Amino acid sequence: MSKPIAHSYSAEEMFLQCQKKYKEVRVLKKWPYKQSEEALFGDQQHVLAEKALQNDTELGGPLGEAMEFVRGFTGLKMSEMKLTL
């Protein structure tokens, strides 16, 4: 069985802006994605936050302050869910 096609919000936005660009980038894959240093840093911060929430551990700095804000909410807190549209 083949893997289902998943669309992200950014992919939908690209399609709405320019269908030709979407086809060349996402379908034909003429220009592979190269992650910037800033995007890599953001991904690393997301992983840290996810693990801190799952393991109920403390973080320092601005990320720790953000996590304390999140922990202040009541109800179920889920760090990651895989969803496909």
Side-chain angles (χ1 to χ4, degrees):
M1 186 157 94
S2 65
K3 183 178 175 182
I5 298 171
H7 295 282
S8 65
Y9 176 79
S10 57
E12 182 183 357
E13 285 297 307
M14 182 188 300
F15 180 80
L16 293 173
Q17 287 176 348
C18 181
Q19 294 175 9
K20 182 176 184 203
K21 178 180 178 181
Y22 177 87
K23 181 180 178 183
E24 301 233 343
V25 172
R26 298 285 182 141
V27 178
L28 301 177
K29 301 190 185 298
K30 288 187 175 181
W31 296 279
Y33 174 71
K34 183 179 177 189
Q35 190 173 38
S36 68
E37 288 182 35
E38 294 81 7
L40 178 60
F41 177 77
D43 286 350
Q44 292 168 342
Q45 297 301 299
H46 277 260
V47 169
L48 286 173
E50 177 184 358
K51 289 182 179 184
L53 189 60
Q54 289 173 345
N55 301 324
D56 198 29
T57 56
E58 299 295 323
L59 293 173
L63 185 56
E65 293 174 18
M67 291 305 298
E68 289 308 311
F69 178 75
V70 170
R71 285 188 178 113
F73 290 103
T74 57
L76 179 64
K77 296 169 188 72
M78 301 179 78
S79 56
E80 288 287 329
M81 289 183 67
K82 292 191 182 257
L83 302 173
T84 302
L85 300 176

